[in-house]
Amino acid sequence: MLRADPAVERTRGHQRAWGWYDWANSAYVTTTGTVLISPYLTSLARNDACPDLPAGQTCDATLSVLGLPVAVGSIAPYTITVATIVSAVVLLFVGAIADRHPRPTWLLGGLAWAGATAASLMFFLQGTNWQLGVLLIVIANLCLGASTVVYDALLNRIAHPDDRDRVSSRAWALGYLGGGLLLVLNLVVLQTYESLGLSYGMAIRLSLLSAGLWWAVFTLIPVIGLRRIRGTTATPVERSAGVVGGTVSQLRDTFGELRRYPHTLTFLLAYLFFNDGIQTVITSASLYGTEALGFDTAQLTITILVVQFVAFFGALFFGVVAGRVGAKRTVLAGIVMWTLVVAFAYFVPRGAFTVWLVCAVLIGTVMGGTQALSRSLYSQLVPRGRESEFFSFYQAMERGTSWFGTLAFGLTYQLTGSYRPAILVTIVFFVVGGLILTRVRMREGIAAAGNEQPRIV
């Protein structure tokens, strides 16, 4: 029988405090990452490369980045790509360090506040200083990923295996609600900036600042609420090895022992595919709506808000369903729903905004629940004492391979000249991911990881 780890705290108070970090960081993800920073960074780069360009004309000049010529319109996507790749590598080390840290919530807070500081400093982006924007985006995204590794790993400490689907789903729903509320407030500011006595640039900068401050302030709730949680007692490498030496030794041991956890690895492979499909739909939806269906910015903004708030209820609904039939079956059902939603989007007529909103409701319903339950399902397959390290693999898998789907999307458009078959190609990722997930025998994987068996999985 497994001994109880004194680092484990499973009260409802701890679970509520833990979930507030989804609320805290989702403001940055939604307001800054999804809506504002890419077009704003592009405008700063355009001011530098083409200072006298008349409004409405395209800037064909390039900027020098580390001695390489980069098109103005590529600055933002290249920045996100670099931040994603760097995160995929760094997160592996963060996970190993977190498993050895005596105060994981302090580490969570430190990483979150470093990211929130970078996000808040985006207030000073104006004129032509796009270089500062590139640096701040990389820092903020790296800290977001690193803090999420620590945060996800704490799920195993604060929730019994039977409760993780519920706890993860509620936290994910809380994140969609928080991110949506701040986005609404910022969109109001951006629509009424003249009556508020602001310039449009100042309105954007204040919105960027609000996301950083929101992230920083609400991180206090999980840090204070979980302050008594100590580092795990089951760390496989002796603490006397030191932080650097112990971290390297732990990573080396883990890569050598991965074959002992075949179902954990199979789940990660499945997650690589179906999550890539999810991320491709999310990142390409605005482009598909604009180019293939002819919707304007206001209509796409409404679409984002519909998805955001429907996802709140969708995550809660999926959590309830998982409590009855198990998380694996629910995730598989979600993957089937994703496939049907993409097929539905393919047939949406051009200009049919009401039909498009129906598609947005369906996306919101399945999006939050699938992601939340994937997190809790994976937590069952993580070896005790290596929670952060294995969740770093989970995050690295998401970040390091999230370009597969967008690449397939772009290549399909290039070959066909249409975004409709391009969006349809994402179905391949859902089908492959779902088929691989069916091969994961959860009970065997949980036993191999040395974890307690939940009642339903």
Side-chain angles (χ1 to χ4, degrees):
M1 180 179 294
L2 293 173
R3 294 183 178 180
D5 191 327
V8 172
E9 298 283 356
R10 290 174 174 169
T11 68
R12 289 295 179 94
H14 287 104
Q15 293 169 4
R16 286 192 293 268
W18 178 82
W20 277 95
Y21 191 63
D22 264 307
W23 170 285
N25 68 55
S26 291
Y28 170 78
V29 172
T30 304
T31 289
T32 301
T34 303
V35 178
L36 293 181
I37 195 58
S38 289
Y40 188 58
L41 185 67
T42 302
S43 70
L44 298 181
R46 185 182 298 113
N47 292 341
D48 188 17
C50 304
D52 301 320
L53 185 72
Q57 292 192 16
T58 302
C59 176
D60 296 323
T62 61
L63 293 167
S64 177
V65 180
L66 300 178
L68 300 174
V70 176
V72 168
S74 298
I75 291 291
Y78 283 174
T79 299
I80 302 299
T81 300
V82 170
T84 300
I85 294 173
V86 171
S87 295
V89 176
V90 173
L91 295 190
L92 297 176
F93 293 91
V94 171
I97 291 172
D99 282 333
R100 301 175 54 75
H101 201 284
R103 298 272 188 168
T105 52
W106 290 8
L107 182 60
L108 168 64
L111 291 168
W113 287 320
T117 299
S120 300
L121 289 175
M122 292 179 188
F123 172 78
F124 296 102
L125 298 179
Q126 57 181 322
T128 62
N129 62 347
W130 58 270
Q131 297 95 331
L132 176 61
V134 169
L135 177 63
L136 293 177
I137 291 171
V138 171
I139 293 174
N141 285 12
L142 179 59
C143 290
L144 174 66
S147 63
T148 302
V149 166
V150 183
Y151 169 65
D152 287 347
L154 287 171
L155 176 61
N156 288 36
R157 312 278 185 87
I158 56 94
H160 186 272
D162 287 331
D163 297 328
R164 289 179 196 163
D165 296 334
R166 172 183 58 81
V167 173
S168 181
S169 296
R170 289 186 178 182
W172 211 282
L174 193 63
Y176 278 117
L177 181 62
L181 287 175
L182 184 64
L183 180 59
V184 168
L185 293 175
N186 285 326
L187 289 177
V188 170
V189 172
L190 291 171
Q191 292 295 322
T192 62
Y193 66 92
E194 290 181 335
S195 62
L196 296 174
L198 303 172
S199 66
Y200 187 66
M202 177 59 75
I204 291 179
R205 291 164 57 204
L206 287 173
S207 298
L208 295 172
L209 175 63
S210 71
L213 294 177
W214 181 290
W215 186 2
V217 170
F218 285 106
T219 296
L220 286 168
I221 298 177
V223 170
I224 294 174
L226 305 176
R227 66 189 182 279
R228 298 187 185 279
I229 291 183
R230 301 293 187 268
T232 179
T233 60
T235 303
V237 178
E238 292 295 330
R239 295 188 184 278
S240 60
V243 174
V244 177
T247 298
V248 173
S249 296
Q250 187 169 331
L251 279 174
R252 185 175 59 247
D253 291 347
T254 299
F255 280 114
E257 294 178 4
L258 280 175
R259 62 182 180 274
R260 293 175 50 192
Y261 309 107
H263 295 292
T264 305
L265 286 174
T266 304
F267 179 90
L268 284 172
L269 183 61
Y271 182 73
L272 182 158
F273 280 98
F274 72 75
N275 181 69
D276 212 358
I278 294 173
Q279 298 304 320
T280 302
V281 172
I282 292 173
T283 57
S284 303
S286 59
L287 181 63
Y288 183 75
T290 301
E291 300 297 331
L293 304 181
F295 300 132
D296 58 28
T297 302
Q299 290 172 311
L300 292 177
T301 300
I302 293 172
T303 302
I304 292 172
L305 292 176
V306 168
V307 171
Q308 195 76 16
F309 287 109
V310 171
F312 167 77
F313 297 102
L316 295 178
F317 172 73
F318 268 65
V320 172
V321 173
R324 296 179 180 274
V325 304
K328 181 182 174 182
R329 292 188 182 91
T330 309
V331 171
L332 285 171
I335 293 172
V336 172
M337 290 179 63
W338 269 111
T339 303
L340 296 176
V341 168
V342 171
F344 178 80
Y346 175 83
F347 291 104
V348 174
R350 184 175 177 85
F353 186 59
T354 302
V355 180
W356 175 248
L357 287 183
V358 173
C359 187
V361 169
L362 295 174
I363 289 175
T365 301
V366 70
M367 181 171 65
T370 307
Q371 293 175 307
L373 292 179
S374 295
R375 176 171 63 182
S376 59
L377 192 62
Y378 180 69
S379 74
Q380 310 282 5
L381 300 170
V382 172
R384 192 172 64 171
R386 289 182 167 178
E387 292 89 354
S388 296
E389 190 176 1
F390 270 73
F391 266 108
S392 72
F393 294 147
Y394 183 80
Q395 287 291 328
M397 191 69 67
E398 175 179 334
R399 294 167 183 268
T401 61
S402 58
W403 53 271
F404 287 160
T406 52
L407 176 63
F409 183 91
L411 288 175
T412 304
Y413 173 76
Q414 184 169 340
L415 293 172
T416 65
S418 172
Y419 285 105
R420 289 188 184 272
I423 197 70
L424 202 62
V425 78
T426 59
I427 289 179
V428 174
F429 291 88
F430 292 116
V431 171
V432 173
L435 290 175
I436 296 174
L437 183 58
T438 61
R439 300 182 63 84
V440 178
R441 294 192 289 273
M442 288 298 299
R443 295 290 183 188
E444 291 183 21
I446 293 170
N451 294 325
E452 182 180 351
Q453 294 283 349
R455 181 176 56 86
I456 300 176
V457 67

